[in-house]
């Protein structure tokens, strides 16, 4: 295995007859009398490399005989110019080792196109398809690009906890973490749980957001971000919600809502540009097979200014459009995804940042405006998906924050440390959360969020 070449590098090498060895999984085999062909993929790129097996070579012909779709092989040969249309080079095999055979007709991935629903049922094999291989590479590329983006701008990467005692969003979509044997709790009457005997001595949950902890570090280190898994017991079965997803959350001191919008816009544009430049082959695949015009629309997003409007303006624009919606539009109600899509697809034809939402539909920590009824929240909306980023300028005024916590009936004592950040050296600060999978959906055109994460967790489904 030492001098094995990845398929990606082999395909870029000159056809100079060099000896090479590749290893991978057989995507297709075409057996002929005089020559047989193997298409081999090793995940390093979308393309397969073709190996030709000379039927006149008895030993080779015998070795290729039991090889079929799905098998793993190691092929040695010389890299030569390919007479075929689809590739510049191919391997003229001189040696072939069948590492792991595959009963070809039982292999769940046949040459025909499989539905994404079917592929979800074989999530252990779906990375061997073109689509899921491309998604895995794009996720990998964007993950690194995110760290690079923040690193180059002096942001500190903070590891916020996964287990937490606070509900950052106050939305009540929490998964509880406990070592109590719940099945031993009496089922008849509702039992009084003695949390003193639970692992943490109090109720604990999987985090829905790293924001509150990120604020602690932002008010010491100036600018930070977290990038980790978050969990929401979303009971909605939509194509945009997972129970476990990854979120990127920058938090910046001495920054107001405008700086926050600038950061979000630059962030998305830099990521899109990098993706188009560095994942060309995979992006061309998504453009051709998943969403026509994808690359062109991403390019134009990366090059034009995002529209910025207030919630009040959004409500007016939707009302004046005369369009009819399933959910009514009126000031004070949250925008539904149909409204978000209409704004981005029909009215503004591109990304829109909506700010200054009614305080009653947003979280307690958002900075209150002087009008007494709106807060400095911002959502970034994009065509096809609606919300992709949610963020805000945070309330840095101790009295205002305290009053809001009391007004909402939240436990003041639960937020004692959060309030102290406002008591000692408070500072205007802002941040946002980008749903990693929503962004991958946006960049690939994939319709269902279950297909852009390796192992989706949704209501009733935690297989694999
Ligand atoms: P939505 O209204 O779409 O449910 P939200 O208002 O609950 O979103 P935030 O709490 O602002 O979202 O979270 C920040 C970002 O995290 C969202 O903009 C979105 O990209 C992503 N996100 C939120 N919930 C989910 C989920 N269940 N699955 C995947 N991504 C999510
Ligand atoms: Mn939600």
């Amino acid at each position: 295995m030492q001098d094995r070449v990845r398929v990606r590098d082999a395909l870029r090498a000159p056809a100079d007859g060099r000896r090479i060895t590749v290893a991978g999984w057989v995507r297709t085999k075409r057996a002929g009398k005089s020559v047989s062909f193997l298409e081999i993929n090793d995940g390093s790129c979308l393309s397969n490399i073709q190996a030709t097996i000379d039927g006149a070579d008895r030993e080779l012909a015998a070795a290729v005989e039991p090889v079929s779709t799905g098998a793993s092989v190691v092929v040695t040969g010389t890299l030569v110019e390919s007479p075929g249309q689809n590739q510049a080079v191919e391997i003229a095999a001189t040696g072939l080792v069948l590492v792991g055979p595959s009963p070809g007709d039982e292999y769940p991935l046949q040459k025909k196109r499989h539905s994404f629903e079917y592929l979800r049922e074989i999530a252990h094999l779906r990375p061997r398809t073109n689509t899921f291989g491309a998604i895995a590479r794009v996720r990998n590329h964007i993950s690194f690009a995110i760290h690079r983006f923040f690193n180059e701008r002096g942001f500190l990467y903070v590891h916020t906890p996964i287990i937490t005692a606070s509900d950052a969003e106050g939305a009540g979509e929490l998964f509880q973490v406990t070592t109590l044997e719940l099945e031993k709790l009496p089922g008849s009457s509702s039992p009084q749980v003695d949390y003193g005997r639970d692992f943490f001595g109090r109720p604990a949950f999987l985090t829905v957001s790293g924001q509150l902890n990120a604020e602690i570090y932002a008010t010491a280190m100036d600018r930070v971000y977290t990038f980790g898994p978050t969990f929401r017991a979303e009971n909605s079965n939509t194509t945009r919600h997972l129970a476990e997803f990854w979120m990127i959350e920058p938090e910046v001191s001495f920054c107001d809502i405008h700086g926050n919008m600038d950061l979000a816009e630059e962030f998305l544009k830099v990521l899109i540009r990098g993706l188009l430049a560095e994942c060309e082959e995979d992006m061309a695949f998504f453009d051709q097979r998943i969403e026509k015009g994808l690359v062109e629309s991403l390019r134009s997003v990366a090059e034009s200014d995002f529209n910025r409007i207030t919630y009040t303006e959004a409500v007016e624009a939707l009302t004046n459009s005369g369009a009819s919606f399933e959910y009514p539009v009126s000031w004070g109600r949250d925008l539904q995804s149909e409204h978000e899509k209409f704004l981005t697809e029909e009215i503004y034809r591109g990304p829109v940042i909506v700010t200054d939402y009614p305080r009653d539909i947003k979280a307690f920590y958002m900075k209150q405006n002087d009008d007494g009824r709106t807060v400095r929240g911002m959502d970034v909306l994009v065509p096809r998906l609606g919300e992709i980023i949610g963020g805000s300028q945070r309330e840095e005024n101790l009295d205002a924050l305290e009053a809001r916590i009391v007004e909402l009936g939240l436990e003041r004592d639960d937020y004692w440390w959060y309030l102290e950040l406002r008591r000692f050296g408070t500072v205007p600060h802002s941040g946002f959360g980008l749903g990693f999978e929503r962004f991958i959906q946006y960049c690939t055109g994939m319709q269902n969020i279950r297909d852009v994460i390796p192992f989706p967790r949704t209501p009733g489904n935690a297989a694999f």
Side-chain angles (χ1 to χ4, degrees), residues 169 173 208-209 230 232 234 240-247 249 334-335 340 362 365 379-380 387-391 432-439 449:
E169 289 300 307
E173 297 163 334
V208 294
S209 157
T230 46
R232 294 188 188 182
E234 306 265 13
R240 323 175 306 140
H241 288 95
L242 290 164
E244 175 179 311
F245 63 100
W246 289 67
M247 187 143 63
E249 297 176 273
D334 206 356
L335 298 178
E340 297 173 344
K362 288 292 182 185
Y365 51 72
D379 281 3
V380 180
E387 179 181 339
I388 191 168
I389 281 179
F432 61 80
L434 169 69
F436 187 58
E437 284 74 22
R438 292 247 178 115
F439 186 60
I449 198 164

mmCIF file of all heavy atoms in Angstrom, residues 169 173 208-209 230 232 234 240-247 249 334-335 340 362 365 379-380 387-391 432-439 449, ligand 1:
data_model
loop_
_atom_site.group_PDB
_atom_site.id
_atom_site.type_symbol
_atom_site.label_atom_id
_atom_site.label_comp_id
_atom_site.label_asym_id
_atom_site.label_seq_id
_atom_site.Cartn_x
_atom_site.Cartn_y
_atom_site.Cartn_z
ATOM 1 N N GLU A 169 -32.470 29.089 23.855
ATOM 2 C CA GLU A 169 -33.491 29.677 22.989
ATOM 3 C C GLU A 169 -34.829 29.833 23.694
ATOM 4 O O GLU A 169 -35.720 30.504 23.212
ATOM 5 C CB GLU A 169 -33.669 28.810 21.734
ATOM 6 C CG GLU A 169 -32.494 28.881 20.779
ATOM 7 C CD GLU A 169 -32.232 30.299 20.278
ATOM 8 O OE1 GLU A 169 -33.159 30.933 19.773
ATOM 9 O OE2 GLU A 169 -31.093 30.766 20.432
ATOM 10 N N GLU A 173 -37.317 22.948 23.156
ATOM 11 C CA GLU A 173 -37.103 21.772 22.302
ATOM 12 C C GLU A 173 -35.905 20.976 22.803
ATOM 13 O O GLU A 173 -35.014 20.621 22.049
ATOM 14 C CB GLU A 173 -36.862 22.223 20.854
ATOM 15 C CG GLU A 173 -38.037 22.932 20.235
ATOM 16 C CD GLU A 173 -37.657 23.716 18.987
ATOM 17 O OE1 GLU A 173 -36.489 24.118 18.854
ATOM 18 O OE2 GLU A 173 -38.547 23.920 18.146
ATOM 19 N N VAL A 208 -28.898 23.401 22.762
ATOM 20 C CA VAL A 208 -29.571 23.823 21.527
ATOM 21 C C VAL A 208 -28.768 24.911 20.820
ATOM 22 O O VAL A 208 -29.065 25.281 19.685
ATOM 23 C CB VAL A 208 -31.005 24.352 21.784
ATOM 24 C CG1 VAL A 208 -31.908 23.230 22.286
ATOM 25 C CG2 VAL A 208 -30.994 25.517 22.775
ATOM 26 N N SER A 209 -27.757 25.447 21.504
ATOM 27 C CA SER A 209 -26.948 26.534 20.954
ATOM 28 C C SER A 209 -25.792 26.802 21.902
ATOM 29 O O SER A 209 -25.942 26.695 23.120
ATOM 30 C CB SER A 209 -27.813 27.801 20.821
ATOM 31 O OG SER A 209 -27.004 28.959 20.803
ATOM 32 N N THR A 230 -25.459 20.567 17.765
ATOM 33 C CA THR A 230 -26.552 21.080 18.592
ATOM 34 C C THR A 230 -27.748 20.160 18.413
ATOM 35 O O THR A 230 -27.847 19.444 17.417
ATOM 36 C CB THR A 230 -26.933 22.520 18.200
ATOM 37 O OG1 THR A 230 -27.025 22.589 16.781
ATOM 38 C CG2 THR A 230 -25.900 23.523 18.661
ATOM 39 N N ARG A 232 -32.015 19.559 18.889
ATOM 40 C CA ARG A 232 -33.336 20.122 19.126
ATOM 41 C C ARG A 232 -34.378 19.039 18.920
ATOM 42 O O ARG A 232 -34.395 18.370 17.884
ATOM 43 C CB ARG A 232 -33.602 21.304 18.197
ATOM 44 C CG ARG A 232 -32.673 22.455 18.519
ATOM 45 C CD ARG A 232 -33.009 23.718 17.781
ATOM 46 N NE ARG A 232 -31.951 24.696 18.027
ATOM 47 C CZ ARG A 232 -31.943 25.928 17.559
ATOM 48 N NH1 ARG A 232 -32.942 26.348 16.809
ATOM 49 N NH2 ARG A 232 -30.945 26.742 17.838
ATOM 50 N N GLU A 234 -37.086 18.749 17.718
ATOM 51 C CA GLU A 234 -38.044 19.327 16.780
ATOM 52 C C GLU A 234 -39.059 18.256 16.436
ATOM 53 O O GLU A 234 -38.689 17.227 15.881
ATOM 54 C CB GLU A 234 -37.347 19.731 15.470
ATOM 55 C CG GLU A 234 -36.163 20.637 15.606
ATOM 56 C CD GLU A 234 -36.548 22.087 15.432
ATOM 57 O OE1 GLU A 234 -37.762 22.398 15.460
ATOM 58 O OE2 GLU A 234 -35.625 22.910 15.294
ATOM 59 N N ARG A 240 -36.047 20.649 6.365
ATOM 60 C CA ARG A 240 -35.018 21.599 6.798
ATOM 61 C C ARG A 240 -34.671 21.468 8.274
ATOM 62 O O ARG A 240 -33.945 22.292 8.818
ATOM 63 C CB ARG A 240 -35.462 23.042 6.562
ATOM 64 C CG ARG A 240 -36.264 23.295 5.304
ATOM 65 C CD ARG A 240 -36.750 24.728 5.248
ATOM 66 N NE ARG A 240 -37.485 25.052 6.470
ATOM 67 C CZ ARG A 240 -37.380 26.208 7.099
ATOM 68 N NH1 ARG A 240 -36.606 27.144 6.639
ATOM 69 N NH2 ARG A 240 -38.080 26.427 8.194
ATOM 70 N N HIS A 241 -35.251 20.482 8.969
ATOM 71 C CA HIS A 241 -34.994 20.332 10.399
ATOM 72 C C HIS A 241 -34.454 18.951 10.739
ATOM 73 O O HIS A 241 -34.986 17.949 10.294
ATOM 74 C CB HIS A 241 -36.282 20.551 11.210
ATOM 75 C CG HIS A 241 -36.731 21.975 11.257
ATOM 76 N ND1 HIS A 241 -37.658 22.474 10.373
ATOM 77 C CD2 HIS A 241 -36.367 22.997 12.069
ATOM 78 C CE1 HIS A 241 -37.858 23.759 10.646
ATOM 79 N NE2 HIS A 241 -37.088 24.109 11.662
ATOM 80 N N LEU A 242 -33.392 18.950 11.530
ATOM 81 C CA LEU A 242 -32.838 17.718 12.075
ATOM 82 C C LEU A 242 -32.897 17.808 13.597
ATOM 83 O O LEU A 242 -32.938 18.907 14.156
ATOM 84 C CB LEU A 242 -31.373 17.564 11.659
ATOM 85 C CG LEU A 242 -31.080 17.276 10.189
ATOM 86 C CD1 LEU A 242 -29.611 17.546 9.881
ATOM 87 C CD2 LEU A 242 -31.447 15.838 9.842
ATOM 88 N N ALA A 243 -32.860 16.659 14.264
ATOM 89 C CA ALA A 243 -32.801 16.673 15.727
ATOM 90 C C ALA A 243 -31.364 16.904 16.192
ATOM 91 O O ALA A 243 -31.122 17.399 17.289
ATOM 92 C CB ALA A 243 -33.336 15.364 16.288
ATOM 93 N N GLU A 244 -30.406 16.536 15.341
ATOM 94 C CA GLU A 244 -28.983 16.760 15.638
ATOM 95 C C GLU A 244 -28.364 17.432 14.421
ATOM 96 O O GLU A 244 -28.415 16.872 13.327
ATOM 97 C CB GLU A 244 -28.305 15.415 15.917
ATOM 98 C CG GLU A 244 -26.804 15.512 16.114
ATOM 99 C CD GLU A 244 -26.169 14.147 16.406
ATOM 100 O OE1 GLU A 244 -26.673 13.427 17.272
ATOM 101 O OE2 GLU A 244 -25.182 13.819 15.743
ATOM 102 N N PHE A 245 -27.870 18.626 14.606
ATOM 103 C CA PHE A 245 -27.242 19.318 13.483
ATOM 104 C C PHE A 245 -26.049 20.114 13.990
ATOM 105 O O PHE A 245 -25.843 20.243 15.190
ATOM 106 C CB PHE A 245 -28.255 20.233 12.768
ATOM 107 C CG PHE A 245 -28.802 21.356 13.613
ATOM 108 C CD1 PHE A 245 -28.295 22.651 13.509
ATOM 109 C CD2 PHE A 245 -29.830 21.128 14.522
ATOM 110 C CE1 PHE A 245 -28.796 23.693 14.293
ATOM 111 C CE2 PHE A 245 -30.344 22.162 15.312
ATOM 112 C CZ PHE A 245 -29.826 23.442 15.191
ATOM 113 N N TRP A 246 -25.256 20.610 13.062
ATOM 114 C CA TRP A 246 -24.043 21.346 13.445
ATOM 115 C C TRP A 246 -24.272 22.830 13.242
ATOM 116 O O TRP A 246 -24.925 23.242 12.277
ATOM 117 C CB TRP A 246 -22.843 20.856 12.621
ATOM 118 C CG TRP A 246 -22.420 19.487 13.041
ATOM 119 C CD1 TRP A 246 -23.136 18.329 12.875
ATOM 120 C CD2 TRP A 246 -21.227 19.129 13.742
ATOM 121 N NE1 TRP A 246 -22.451 17.272 13.426
ATOM 122 C CE2 TRP A 246 -21.280 17.734 13.958
ATOM 123 C CE3 TRP A 246 -20.119 19.842 14.200
ATOM 124 C CZ2 TRP A 246 -20.248 17.042 14.622
ATOM 125 C CZ3 TRP A 246 -19.099 19.158 14.848
ATOM 126 C CH2 TRP A 246 -19.167 17.776 15.056
ATOM 127 N N MET A 247 -23.749 23.603 14.161
ATOM 128 C CA MET A 247 -23.970 25.040 14.056
ATOM 129 C C MET A 247 -22.654 25.790 14.248
ATOM 130 O O MET A 247 -21.821 25.412 15.059
ATOM 131 C CB MET A 247 -25.003 25.498 15.090
ATOM 132 C CG MET A 247 -25.401 26.940 14.942
ATOM 133 S SD MET A 247 -27.131 27.269 15.277
ATOM 134 C CE MET A 247 -27.271 26.817 16.982
ATOM 135 N N GLU A 249 -21.256 29.431 15.320
ATOM 136 C CA GLU A 249 -21.746 30.605 16.031
ATOM 137 C C GLU A 249 -20.609 31.562 16.394
ATOM 138 O O GLU A 249 -19.932 31.356 17.387
ATOM 139 C CB GLU A 249 -22.498 30.174 17.297
ATOM 140 C CG GLU A 249 -23.722 29.347 17.007
ATOM 141 C CD GLU A 249 -24.400 28.857 18.281
ATOM 142 O OE1 GLU A 249 -24.008 27.790 18.777
ATOM 143 O OE2 GLU A 249 -25.292 29.551 18.778
ATOM 144 N N ASP A 334 -44.659 35.487 13.443
ATOM 145 C CA ASP A 334 -43.364 35.112 12.883
ATOM 146 C C ASP A 334 -43.512 34.801 11.393
ATOM 147 O O ASP A 334 -44.572 34.378 10.942
ATOM 148 C CB ASP A 334 -42.802 33.886 13.612
ATOM 149 C CG ASP A 334 -41.272 33.842 13.546
ATOM 150 O OD1 ASP A 334 -40.690 34.730 12.873
ATOM 151 O OD2 ASP A 334 -40.677 32.946 14.153
ATOM 152 N N LEU A 335 -42.459 35.049 10.645
ATOM 153 C CA LEU A 335 -42.475 34.702 9.217
ATOM 154 C C LEU A 335 -42.351 33.190 9.081
ATOM 155 O O LEU A 335 -41.506 32.570 9.711
ATOM 156 C CB LEU A 335 -41.311 35.384 8.488
ATOM 157 C CG LEU A 335 -41.304 36.911 8.501
ATOM 158 C CD1 LEU A 335 -40.061 37.433 7.774
ATOM 159 C CD2 LEU A 335 -42.569 37.467 7.850
ATOM 160 N N GLU A 340 -40.679 33.443 3.858
ATOM 161 C CA GLU A 340 -39.245 33.672 3.658
ATOM 162 C C GLU A 340 -38.850 33.344 2.217
ATOM 163 O O GLU A 340 -38.084 34.076 1.589
ATOM 164 C CB GLU A 340 -38.445 32.816 4.644
ATOM 165 C CG GLU A 340 -38.714 33.188 6.099
ATOM 166 C CD GLU A 340 -38.067 32.232 7.113
ATOM 167 O OE1 GLU A 340 -37.656 31.116 6.733
ATOM 168 O OE2 GLU A 340 -37.984 32.599 8.285
ATOM 169 N N LYS A 362 -39.147 36.778 19.621
ATOM 170 C CA LYS A 362 -37.710 36.489 19.636
ATOM 171 C C LYS A 362 -37.215 36.227 21.054
ATOM 172 O O LYS A 362 -37.917 36.492 22.037
ATOM 173 C CB LYS A 362 -36.940 37.667 19.011
ATOM 174 C CG LYS A 362 -37.110 37.755 17.485
ATOM 175 C CD LYS A 362 -36.436 36.592 16.766
ATOM 176 C CE LYS A 362 -36.550 36.686 15.248
ATOM 177 N NZ LYS A 362 -36.012 35.499 14.564
ATOM 178 N N TYR A 365 -32.664 37.448 25.027
ATOM 179 C CA TYR A 365 -31.356 38.120 25.096
ATOM 180 C C TYR A 365 -31.156 39.162 24.001
ATOM 181 O O TYR A 365 -30.120 39.809 23.939
ATOM 182 C CB TYR A 365 -30.235 37.078 25.012
ATOM 183 C CG TYR A 365 -30.384 36.131 23.843
ATOM 184 C CD1 TYR A 365 -30.163 36.570 22.543
ATOM 185 C CD2 TYR A 365 -30.775 34.808 24.031
ATOM 186 C CE1 TYR A 365 -30.330 35.719 21.466
ATOM 187 C CE2 TYR A 365 -30.937 33.944 22.960
ATOM 188 C CZ TYR A 365 -30.719 34.403 21.677
ATOM 189 O OH TYR A 365 -30.888 33.576 20.609
ATOM 190 N N ASP A 379 -32.315 37.768 10.665
ATOM 191 C CA ASP A 379 -32.311 36.455 10.019
ATOM 192 C C ASP A 379 -31.797 36.646 8.606
ATOM 193 O O ASP A 379 -32.188 37.601 7.930
ATOM 194 C CB ASP A 379 -33.726 35.863 9.952
ATOM 195 C CG ASP A 379 -34.166 35.252 11.286
ATOM 196 O OD1 ASP A 379 -33.408 35.332 12.274
ATOM 197 O OD2 ASP A 379 -35.280 34.699 11.327
ATOM 198 N N VAL A 380 -30.918 35.765 8.153
ATOM 199 C CA VAL A 380 -30.510 35.771 6.751
ATOM 200 C C VAL A 380 -31.337 34.720 6.029
ATOM 201 O O VAL A 380 -31.341 33.547 6.417
ATOM 202 C CB VAL A 380 -28.999 35.473 6.591
ATOM 203 C CG1 VAL A 380 -28.620 35.483 5.111
ATOM 204 C CG2 VAL A 380 -28.164 36.474 7.372
ATOM 205 N N GLU A 387 -34.815 30.627 6.068
ATOM 206 C CA GLU A 387 -33.790 30.997 7.046
ATOM 207 C C GLU A 387 -32.578 30.076 7.005
ATOM 208 O O GLU A 387 -32.681 28.862 7.023
ATOM 209 C CB GLU A 387 -34.384 30.969 8.462
ATOM 210 C CG GLU A 387 -33.339 31.320 9.503
ATOM 211 C CD GLU A 387 -33.863 31.282 10.936
ATOM 212 O OE1 GLU A 387 -35.077 31.365 11.154
ATOM 213 O OE2 GLU A 387 -33.013 31.167 11.838
ATOM 214 N N ILE A 388 -31.416 30.716 6.984
ATOM 215 C CA ILE A 388 -30.166 29.953 7.012
ATOM 216 C C ILE A 388 -29.306 30.413 8.194
ATOM 217 O O ILE A 388 -28.522 29.659 8.749
ATOM 218 C CB ILE A 388 -29.447 30.104 5.650
ATOM 219 C CG1 ILE A 388 -28.287 29.154 5.491
ATOM 220 C CG2 ILE A 388 -28.969 31.507 5.417
ATOM 221 C CD1 ILE A 388 -27.771 29.108 4.065
ATOM 222 N N ILE A 389 -29.491 31.686 8.586
ATOM 223 C CA ILE A 389 -28.784 32.249 9.734
ATOM 224 C C ILE A 389 -29.792 32.967 10.624
ATOM 225 O O ILE A 389 -30.688 33.650 10.129
ATOM 226 C CB ILE A 389 -27.711 33.276 9.276
ATOM 227 C CG1 ILE A 389 -26.449 32.563 8.771
ATOM 228 C CG2 ILE A 389 -27.344 34.240 10.410
ATOM 229 C CD1 ILE A 389 -25.360 33.512 8.291
ATOM 230 N N GLY A 390 -29.631 32.795 11.937
ATOM 231 C CA GLY A 390 -30.391 33.595 12.898
ATOM 232 C C GLY A 390 -29.408 34.246 13.844
ATOM 233 O O GLY A 390 -28.476 33.584 14.305
ATOM 234 N N GLY A 391 -29.572 35.534 14.110
ATOM 235 C CA GLY A 391 -28.624 36.185 15.009
ATOM 236 C C GLY A 391 -29.195 37.451 15.593
ATOM 237 O O GLY A 391 -30.368 37.771 15.369
ATOM 238 N N PHE A 432 -24.221 35.385 15.618
ATOM 239 C CA PHE A 432 -25.268 34.679 14.873
ATOM 240 C C PHE A 432 -24.968 33.182 14.816
ATOM 241 O O PHE A 432 -23.868 32.751 15.181
ATOM 242 C CB PHE A 432 -25.429 35.252 13.458
ATOM 243 C CG PHE A 432 -24.209 35.163 12.575
ATOM 244 C CD1 PHE A 432 -23.881 33.979 11.924
ATOM 245 C CD2 PHE A 432 -23.384 36.277 12.379
ATOM 246 C CE1 PHE A 432 -22.756 33.894 11.098
ATOM 247 C CE2 PHE A 432 -22.258 36.205 11.556
ATOM 248 C CZ PHE A 432 -21.941 35.012 10.907
ATOM 249 N N GLY A 433 -25.953 32.433 14.389
ATOM 250 C CA GLY A 433 -25.769 30.989 14.204
ATOM 251 C C GLY A 433 -26.096 30.607 12.765
ATOM 252 O O GLY A 433 -27.164 30.944 12.258
ATOM 253 N N LEU A 434 -25.146 29.946 12.131
ATOM 254 C CA LEU A 434 -25.395 29.395 10.789
ATOM 255 C C LEU A 434 -25.593 27.893 10.941
ATOM 256 O O LEU A 434 -24.732 27.199 11.491
ATOM 257 C CB LEU A 434 -24.201 29.661 9.859
ATOM 258 C CG LEU A 434 -24.233 28.894 8.508
ATOM 259 C CD1 LEU A 434 -25.340 29.415 7.602
ATOM 260 C CD2 LEU A 434 -22.885 28.971 7.796
ATOM 261 N N GLY A 435 -26.722 27.404 10.475
ATOM 262 C CA GLY A 435 -26.939 25.959 10.472
ATOM 263 C C GLY A 435 -26.091 25.346 9.372
ATOM 264 O O GLY A 435 -26.284 25.634 8.190
ATOM 265 N N PHE A 436 -25.130 24.508 9.776
ATOM 266 C CA PHE A 436 -24.180 23.957 8.807
ATOM 267 C C PHE A 436 -24.898 23.163 7.713
ATOM 268 O O PHE A 436 -24.626 23.332 6.527
ATOM 269 C CB PHE A 436 -23.166 23.070 9.542
ATOM 270 C CG PHE A 436 -22.046 22.570 8.679
ATOM 271 C CD1 PHE A 436 -21.217 23.450 8.001
ATOM 272 C CD2 PHE A 436 -21.797 21.204 8.551
ATOM 273 C CE1 PHE A 436 -20.174 22.994 7.210
ATOM 274 C CE2 PHE A 436 -20.753 20.732 7.775
ATOM 275 C CZ PHE A 436 -19.949 21.627 7.101
ATOM 276 N N GLU A 437 -25.847 22.331 8.102
ATOM 277 C CA GLU A 437 -26.544 21.506 7.100
ATOM 278 C C GLU A 437 -27.433 22.337 6.190
ATOM 279 O O GLU A 437 -27.578 22.026 5.011
ATOM 280 C CB GLU A 437 -27.359 20.406 7.779
ATOM 281 C CG GLU A 437 -26.516 19.251 8.294
ATOM 282 C CD GLU A 437 -25.727 19.587 9.538
ATOM 283 O OE1 GLU A 437 -26.124 20.542 10.252
ATOM 284 O OE2 GLU A 437 -24.711 18.907 9.812
ATOM 285 N N ARG A 438 -28.036 23.408 6.741
ATOM 286 C CA ARG A 438 -28.827 24.288 5.859
ATOM 287 C C ARG A 438 -27.912 24.897 4.800
ATOM 288 O O ARG A 438 -28.288 25.031 3.636
ATOM 289 C CB ARG A 438 -29.484 25.422 6.668
ATOM 290 C CG ARG A 438 -30.547 24.939 7.612
ATOM 291 C CD ARG A 438 -31.933 25.400 7.253
ATOM 292 N NE ARG A 438 -32.874 24.832 8.193
ATOM 293 C CZ ARG A 438 -33.605 25.533 9.046
ATOM 294 N NH1 ARG A 438 -33.551 26.854 9.044
ATOM 295 N NH2 ARG A 438 -34.423 24.933 9.879
ATOM 296 N N PHE A 439 -26.718 25.267 5.217
ATOM 297 C CA PHE A 439 -25.787 25.865 4.271
ATOM 298 C C PHE A 439 -25.332 24.841 3.225
ATOM 299 O O PHE A 439 -25.212 25.158 2.039
ATOM 300 C CB PHE A 439 -24.585 26.468 5.008
ATOM 301 C CG PHE A 439 -23.653 27.230 4.111
ATOM 302 C CD1 PHE A 439 -24.103 28.330 3.393
ATOM 303 C CD2 PHE A 439 -22.323 26.851 3.962
ATOM 304 C CE1 PHE A 439 -23.254 29.031 2.540
ATOM 305 C CE2 PHE A 439 -21.463 27.550 3.122
ATOM 306 C CZ PHE A 439 -21.935 28.639 2.410
ATOM 307 N N ILE A 449 -32.728 17.840 4.049
ATOM 308 C CA ILE A 449 -31.599 18.007 4.968
ATOM 309 C C ILE A 449 -31.066 16.657 5.452
ATOM 310 O O ILE A 449 -29.900 16.546 5.818
ATOM 311 C CB ILE A 449 -32.005 18.925 6.148
ATOM 312 C CG1 ILE A 449 -30.773 19.477 6.878
ATOM 313 C CG2 ILE A 449 -32.958 18.205 7.112
ATOM 314 C CD1 ILE A 449 -31.048 20.664 7.776
HETATM 315 P P1 LIG B 1 -36.299 27.706 12.055
HETATM 316 O O1 LIG B 1 -37.286 28.818 12.237
HETATM 317 O O2 LIG B 1 -35.951 27.437 10.632
HETATM 318 O O3 LIG B 1 -36.639 26.479 12.840
HETATM 319 P P2 LIG B 1 -34.777 28.823 14.192
HETATM 320 O O4 LIG B 1 -35.328 30.181 14.261
HETATM 321 O O5 LIG B 1 -35.245 27.805 15.169
HETATM 322 O O6 LIG B 1 -34.939 28.252 12.697
HETATM 323 P P3 LIG B 1 -32.176 29.555 15.257
HETATM 324 O O7 LIG B 1 -32.575 29.165 16.634
HETATM 325 O O8 LIG B 1 -32.009 30.987 14.949
HETATM 326 O O9 LIG B 1 -33.173 28.890 14.188
HETATM 327 O O10 LIG B 1 -30.859 28.730 14.863
HETATM 328 C C1 LIG B 1 -29.845 29.246 14.016
HETATM 329 C C2 LIG B 1 -29.727 28.453 12.727
HETATM 330 O O11 LIG B 1 -29.649 27.062 12.969
HETATM 331 C C3 LIG B 1 -30.931 28.588 11.802
HETATM 332 O O12 LIG B 1 -30.848 29.751 11.041
HETATM 333 C C4 LIG B 1 -30.805 27.344 10.947
HETATM 334 O O13 LIG B 1 -29.839 27.542 9.916
HETATM 335 C C5 LIG B 1 -30.244 26.330 11.901
HETATM 336 N N1 LIG B 1 -31.267 25.431 12.457
HETATM 337 C C6 LIG B 1 -32.186 25.697 13.406
HETATM 338 N N2 LIG B 1 -32.914 24.623 13.714
HETATM 339 C C7 LIG B 1 -32.440 23.614 12.934
HETATM 340 C C8 LIG B 1 -32.759 22.226 12.803
HETATM 341 N N3 LIG B 1 -33.692 21.668 13.550
HETATM 342 N N4 LIG B 1 -32.053 21.495 11.905
HETATM 343 C C9 LIG B 1 -31.077 22.062 11.167
HETATM 344 N N5 LIG B 1 -30.722 23.358 11.248
HETATM 345 C C10 LIG B 1 -31.393 24.136 12.120
#
